[in-house]
């Protein structure tokens, strides 16, 4: 699918190109892993990861040498309601700092040699940095407390932009993608989107984001509830939900997840904002779920609701809540370990071990 001219393609057409993971490849991978010289199931989730990778790529043995974290940056008009402790200009400042390896995520990524791609889809504050990729849809979203975040056409443009970023990654030879974001106020928009999609009381899933007082948190919950009420998004239509109470970053990340599925690239969910975008993607194209890996359990209260609705189990629980894609370089290492297991371990035959002693154990485990 070519998406370079987004006017030629609809979101519906893009979602129709998402196909489920290769079940035959997954079965073959699971059978191969059973021949590795180890007790059945002893590598736990690493085995599950390796099988899922086989379903994504169609190959039993996989390599993820080229990794990229795409960080989507955009401002949110709802900051005008006093729901964030940081000023809006921090979005631009941190976007620039990411390109220099000076933020939490980008410092970790640089330490591991992972590529970071910073994309501006709606930063309001002027800045000068040629390393930030300009894909601006508009200068920040609308204030969802008073108006929709964006038009439906703008939401679709964000989605198609995300798909194009995934297409570019495929063309660049990227074998593993991570998603991140930067945008003051985006835990508020994420809570609004999640509240609608899961029929959850905003008070239960609205958290402190980057850090706010109890009084501000109470106000933030009221803002989210009012935004949902005044904009009345259709929970059956994830595009409508993102357009009315979401953000440019959420919609673009949603497109990245869809694009990763179209181009058969495994893709890592970061934290709260990222998992809400992933949930939107799966609501639009259910088979996207086959391509997702959840990195860490965010400390934001809404994360658990989103993960449960999405049906994913994060690798790690480190009490992280930074965002930016900070969980991705950590998850990359775990996925690399799963690949190393399949690619490097000896089989029972290769190790000169008669594995007949495991027949009873395998039977008891149902062939696992």
């Amino acid at each position: 699918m070519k998406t370079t001219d987004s006017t030629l393609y609809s979101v519906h057409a893009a979602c129709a190109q998402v196909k489920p993971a290769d079940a035959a490849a997954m079965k073959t991978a699971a059978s191969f892993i059973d021949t590795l010289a180890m007790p059945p199931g002893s590598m736990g989730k690493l085995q599950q990861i390796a099988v899922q990778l086989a379903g994504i790529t169609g190959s039993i043995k996989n390599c993820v040498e080229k990794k990229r974290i795409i960080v989507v940056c955009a401002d949110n008009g709802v900051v005008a309601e006093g729901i964030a402790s940081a000023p809006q200009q921090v979005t631009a400042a941190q976007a620039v700092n990411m390109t220099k390896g000076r933020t939490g995520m980008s410092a970790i990524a640089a330490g591991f040699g992972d590529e970071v791609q910073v994309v501006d889809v709606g930063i309001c504050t002027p800045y000068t940095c040629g390393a930030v990729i300009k894909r601006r849809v508009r200068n920040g979203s609308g204030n969802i407390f008073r108006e929709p975040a964006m038009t439906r056409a703008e939401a679709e443009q964000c989605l198609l932009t995300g798909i194009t970023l995934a297409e570019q990654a495929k063309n660049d030879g990227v074998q593993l993608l991570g998603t991140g974001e930067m945008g003051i106020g985006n835990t508020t928009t994420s809570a609004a989107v999640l509240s609608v999609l899961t029929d959850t009381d905003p008070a239960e899933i609205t958290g402190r984001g980057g850090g706010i007082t109890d009084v501000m948190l109470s106000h933030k919950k009221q803002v989210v509830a009012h935004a949902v009420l005044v904009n009345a998004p259709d929970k059956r239509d994830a595009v409508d939900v993102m357009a009315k109470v979401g953000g440019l970053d959420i919609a673009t990340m949603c497109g990245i997840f869809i694009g990763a599925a179209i181009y058969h690239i495994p893709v890592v969910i970061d934290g709260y904002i990222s998992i809400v975008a992933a949930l939107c993607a799966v609501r639009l194209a259910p088979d996207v779920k086959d391509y997702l890996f959840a990195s860490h359990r965010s400390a934001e209260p809404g994360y658990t609701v989103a993960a449960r609705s999405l049906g994913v189990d994060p690798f790690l629980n480190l009490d992280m809540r930074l965002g930016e894609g900070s969980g991705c370089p950590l998850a990359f290492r775990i996925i690399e370990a799963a690949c190393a297991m399949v690619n490097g371990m000896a089989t029972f035959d290769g190790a000169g071990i008669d594995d007949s002693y495991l027949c009873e154990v395998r039977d008891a485990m149902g062939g696992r």
Side-chain angles (χ1 to χ4, degrees), residues 27-347:
K27 183 177 180 180
T28 301
S31 296
F32 175 76
I33 290 170
D34 281 344
T35 71
L36 298 178
M38 61 181 176
S42 59
M43 280 294 207
K45 289 186 178 180
L46 290 185
Q47 296 181 209
Q48 298 171 20
I49 292 167
V51 169
Q52 186 178 348
L53 284 173
I56 293 170
T57 66
S59 300
I60 297 173
K61 296 187 177 184
N62 288 285
C63 176
V64 289
E65 290 182 352
K66 188 171 179 60
K67 298 166 286 289
R68 175 178 294 173
I69 303 168
I70 304 177
V71 186
V72 183
C73 305
D75 281 307
N76 300 279
V78 73
V79 297
E81 302 304 320
I83 46 76
S85 57
Q88 194 169 61
Q89 48 266 44
V90 170
T91 301
Q94 286 295 78
V96 173
N97 285 330
M98 281 182 202
T99 68
K100 301 175 181 178
R102 293 169 57 184
T103 70
M105 174 280 301
S106 58
I108 296 171
F112 286 118
D114 299 330
E115 180 184 342
V116 174
Q117 186 179 72
V118 183
V119 183
D120 173 3
V121 295
I123 298 175
C124 289
T125 305
Y127 65 92
T128 302
C129 180
V132 175
I133 297 170
K134 309 301 189 298
R135 296 288 187 273
R136 191 172 302 177
V137 175
R138 56 180 280 175
N139 290 332
S141 65
N143 179 355
I144 61 172
F145 186 76
R146 305 177 186 280
E147 62 184 344
M150 66 195 92
T151 66
R152 186 181 184 93
E154 288 167 339
E156 291 183 346
Q157 185 180 346
C158 287
L159 283 158
L160 293 169
T161 295
I163 293 170
T164 301
L165 291 168
E167 180 187 32
Q168 179 187 340
K170 181 69 172 181
N171 292 338
D172 291 344
V174 172
Q175 297 156 310
L176 180 58
L177 270 177
T179 55
E181 39 61 42
M182 182 64 228
I184 302 303
N186 59 13
T187 58
T188 300
T189 53
S190 295
V193 171
L194 182 62
S195 172
V196 175
L197 292 180
T198 61
D199 284 320
T200 306
D201 184 345
E204 296 179 18
I205 57 174
T206 303
R208 296 181 185 274
I212 53 177
T213 66
D214 289 345
V215 172
M216 290 176 69
L217 177 59
S218 177
H219 174 61
K220 182 177 178 180
K221 292 177 179 179
Q222 293 171 1
V223 168
V224 173
H226 179 78
V228 171
L229 180 65
V230 74
N231 287 293
D234 181 355
K235 68 180 181 181
R236 300 164 300 178
D237 180 358
V239 177
D240 187 65
V241 176
M242 288 184 285
K244 288 181 177 174
V245 297
L248 302 159
D249 49 359
I250 296 172
T252 305
M253 281 195 295
C254 176
I256 293 170
F257 288 120
I258 293 170
I262 291 171
Y263 298 108
H264 295 269
I265 309 172
V267 59
V268 174
I269 300 166
D270 177 32
Y272 185 40
I273 293 89
S274 182
I275 202 168
V276 169
L279 180 59
C280 291
V282 171
R283 292 294 176 89
L284 291 171
D287 289 327
V288 167
K289 181 185 172 184
D290 292 352
Y291 300 81
L292 305 177
F293 295 92
S295 60
H296 74 103
R297 187 176 302 279
S298 169
E300 281 291 300
Y303 182 93
T304 300
V305 174
R308 183 169 57 244
S309 181
L310 196 52
V312 296
D313 186 19
F315 298 157
L316 303 166
N317 186 0
L318 301 174
D319 294 328
M320 293 169 58
R321 55 185 179 86
L322 175 65
E324 300 182 6
S326 52
C328 295
L330 305 178
F332 287 173
R333 303 326 21 121
I334 295 172
I335 296 171
E336 286 177 327
C339 292
M341 174 194 72
V342 173
N343 296 339
M345 280 188 71
T347 63

